[in-house]
Amino acid sequence: MLLVVTYSRPARRSLRNICRGHEESIVRRFGRAALLRATEHGAFLACRLREKYPDDVQVERTRPFNEFADASEDVRAAASAYESREAKHTPYAKFAAGADHPDPAELRDQDL
Amino acid sequence: MRVRAAGGEHVGPVVDLRGSDVRPQELAAAVRDPDDDRVRCPPPEATAVHRRVGCIRPDMTLDRQGALAAVARSHGTTAAVDDELAAVEADLEALDAGSTDLAAARERVATAGAERDRLRERVATLRGEIRARREAGLDATDAADDLSDAARRLSEATTERQAAIQALDRARANARNAYDDRERRLRLEDRAANLRRTARTELADAVRQDVSDALPTVSDRPLAETSDPLVALAAARIAKLHAPVVVAVDLFGPEATAGYVRAPTVRL
């Protein structure tokens, strides 16, 4: 999908109008952002917006996130263990230290 | 007030130009422009409220909230949120968001990638050609020269593609900061708009009754059902107006209009 994010009032208004007028190419709306279908038409709408507001429209392309293929087993295990922890108020860093899970600083340094 | 129009010069607090082909908006513009000699009037020059209700035409539309708020402000009335609004506007003035337009950098990456791919294919094709010629016992020298040339160009293209990708990555990182600033600006602009709306409501509420009370002279309907020009006329009466008002609606004669509006008047 194409993620379109606007950064000014006029650009936001234009995005709203585009979403209203082209529902078939809009997957989801979030106010000043929207997910568009990754079709030539979606690209067309994104490009139009960018032409109109070259500095106030950000467009990224998304891929479905498959945690089994894209993230390591350590990360999945850590997430699962943390969410089912007993002590509700323990921050993850502390939790990880006590239980052999990757520490957040390490995780931040590793690209997917 | 001194008005030079319709082939003559008119002096006095009330000027009657009915039947002339002077256009109301043009005259109002002359009123508001201190350098426009067609209308000379003592200072102070036209104010914000004059821009809203200083030119009354039968086909005009009126932003009622805006007009009422301007009427209130013309009397020096302030809104409780004025200070906060001024602070937000000052913050906005101070913000200087950088550009985020990376189209050129992106195009460089796309072009470099396409060129590298093209040359990769060319190298593969030439390799195939050389192999075929040798297997057929033919001379492959020319093809070998072409291959070495293409391989060199492929190497350059690969380097260029890498450089383009790195340049784009750096530019994207910088753009993130510019986007942060723009987001901050958007939040401030939204806040300013909300504060302006709050101020307008408070100010309009402060004068609505007075304008309503002035209405019966010009309209037999309540405020909500009265047309825009007549509401504008009543608002002009309640406003503290210095500059001459141009009135192009046919309700009263010039003297009576000036008396109602309580300002120098040009009737068209």
Side-chain angles (χ1 to χ4, degrees), chain B residues 186-201:
Chain B
L186 178 57
R187 229 171 306 163
L188 285 173
E189 282 175 349
D190 281 345
R191 197 144 139 244
N194 283 331
L195 290 172
R196 274 183 213 119
R197 199 173 312 137
T198 302
R200 240 194 330 266
T201 304

Side-chain angles (χ1 to χ4, degrees), chain B residues 205-217:
Chain B
D205 287 348
V207 299
R208 187 169 290 108
Q209 192 56 55
D210 288 339
V211 173
S212 249
D213 292 345
L215 219 45
T217 313

Side-chain angles (χ1 to χ4, degrees), chain A residues 9 12 32 55-56 60, chain B residues 99-100 172 182-183 190:
Chain A
R9 283 167 67 87
R12 183 178 60 194
R32 59 182 263 248
D55 287 312
D56 288 320
E60 304 287 329
Chain B
S99 172
T100 61
R172 277 171 61 90
R182 283 168 190 271
E183 195 170 57
D190 281 345

Side-chain angles (χ1 to χ4, degrees), chain B residues 61-112:
Chain B
T61 53
L62 186 70
D63 162 13
R64 293 179 183 215
Q65 278 292 80
L68 292 179
V71 168
R73 285 216 190 269
S74 72
H75 289 281
T77 310
T78 55
V81 298
D82 277 349
D83 285 343
E84 201 187 332
L85 178 55
V88 171
E89 284 173 337
D91 284 346
L92 272 168
E93 256 303 290
L95 255 182
D96 192 14
S99 172
T100 61
D101 187 356
L102 303 182
R106 285 192 298 266
E107 191 171 9
R108 184 184 170 199
V109 166
T111 304

Side-chain angles (χ1 to χ4, degrees), chain B residues 33-64:
Chain B
D33 182 356
D35 294 328
D36 191 324
D37 252 8
R38 286 174 296 175
V39 179
R40 304 255 290 281
C41 46
E45 290 117 24
T47 54
V49 72
H50 191 282
R51 273 195 291 276
R52 297 219 186 234
V53 302
C55 180
I56 317 254
R57 304 164 325 276
D59 60 345
M60 72 183 283
T61 53
L62 186 70
D63 162 13
R64 293 179 183 215

Side-chain angles (χ1 to χ4, degrees), chain B:
Chain B
M1 170 172 58
R2 188 183 294 267
V3 179
R4 193 159 21 95
E9 200 173 74
H10 313 261
V11 182
V14 181
V15 171
D16 184 356
L17 293 176
R18 284 177 300 175
S20 77
D21 58 2
V22 178
R23 281 201 304 275
Q25 270 151 308
E26 218 182 291
L27 196 63
V31 166
R32 290 164 192 159
D33 182 356
D35 294 328
D36 191 324
D37 252 8
R38 286 174 296 175
V39 179
R40 304 255 290 281
C41 46
E45 290 117 24
T47 54
V49 72
H50 191 282
R51 273 195 291 276
R52 297 219 186 234
V53 302
C55 180
I56 317 254
R57 304 164 325 276
D59 60 345
M60 72 183 283
T61 53
L62 186 70
D63 162 13
R64 293 179 183 215
Q65 278 292 80
L68 292 179
V71 168
R73 285 216 190 269
S74 72
H75 289 281
T77 310
T78 55
V81 298
D82 277 349
D83 285 343
E84 201 187 332
L85 178 55
V88 171
E89 284 173 337
D91 284 346
L92 272 168
E93 256 303 290
L95 255 182
D96 192 14
S99 172
T100 61
D101 187 356
L102 303 182
R106 285 192 298 266
E107 191 171 9
R108 184 184 170 199
V109 166
T111 304
E115 182 64 357
R116 189 220 39 189
D117 291 346
R118 182 187 72 81
L119 286 165
R120 256 190 190 165
E121 271 200 49
R122 175 114 183 90
V123 161
T125 304
L126 285 168
R127 285 212 175 109
E129 204 183 300
I130 290 173
R131 196 176 323 121
R133 294 185 74 86
R134 288 192 179 143
E135 277 168 12
L138 294 168
D139 177 39
T141 324
D142 284 349
D145 286 343
D146 287 347
L147 174 61
S148 122
D149 184 54
R152 181 185 47 78
R153 278 184 293 130
L154 171 58
S155 167
E156 285 165 6
T158 304
T159 306
E160 161 61 7
R161 178 179 169 274
Q162 273 309 106
I165 287 174
Q166 279 163 12
L168 179 58
D169 283 346
R170 275 194 306 271
R172 277 171 61 90
N174 289 337
R176 198 166 305 151
N177 292 329
Y179 278 129
D180 286 348
D181 288 341
R182 283 168 190 271
E183 195 170 57
R184 202 167 298 131
R185 189 190 61 188
L186 178 57
R187 229 171 306 163
L188 285 173
E189 282 175 349
D190 281 345
R191 197 144 139 244
N194 283 331
L195 290 172
R196 274 183 213 119
R197 199 173 312 137
T198 302
R200 240 194 330 266
T201 304
E202 186 189 320
L203 292 166
D205 287 348
V207 299
R208 187 169 290 108
Q209 192 56 55
D210 288 339
V211 173
S212 249
D213 292 345
L215 219 45
T217 313
V218 301
S219 166
D220 49 12
R221 331 276 313 252
L223 185 57
E225 292 165 39
T226 299
S227 68
D228 281 351
L230 299 182
V231 172
L233 203 51
R237 172 181 170 82
I238 302 303
K240 193 162 182 191
L241 273 170
H242 304 291
V245 178
V246 176
V247 180
V249 289
D250 213 6
L251 266 183
F252 324 120
E255 303 289 347
T257 309
Y260 176 77
V261 159
R262 300 187 290 201
T265 303
V266 181
R267 271 283 276 115
L268 281 178

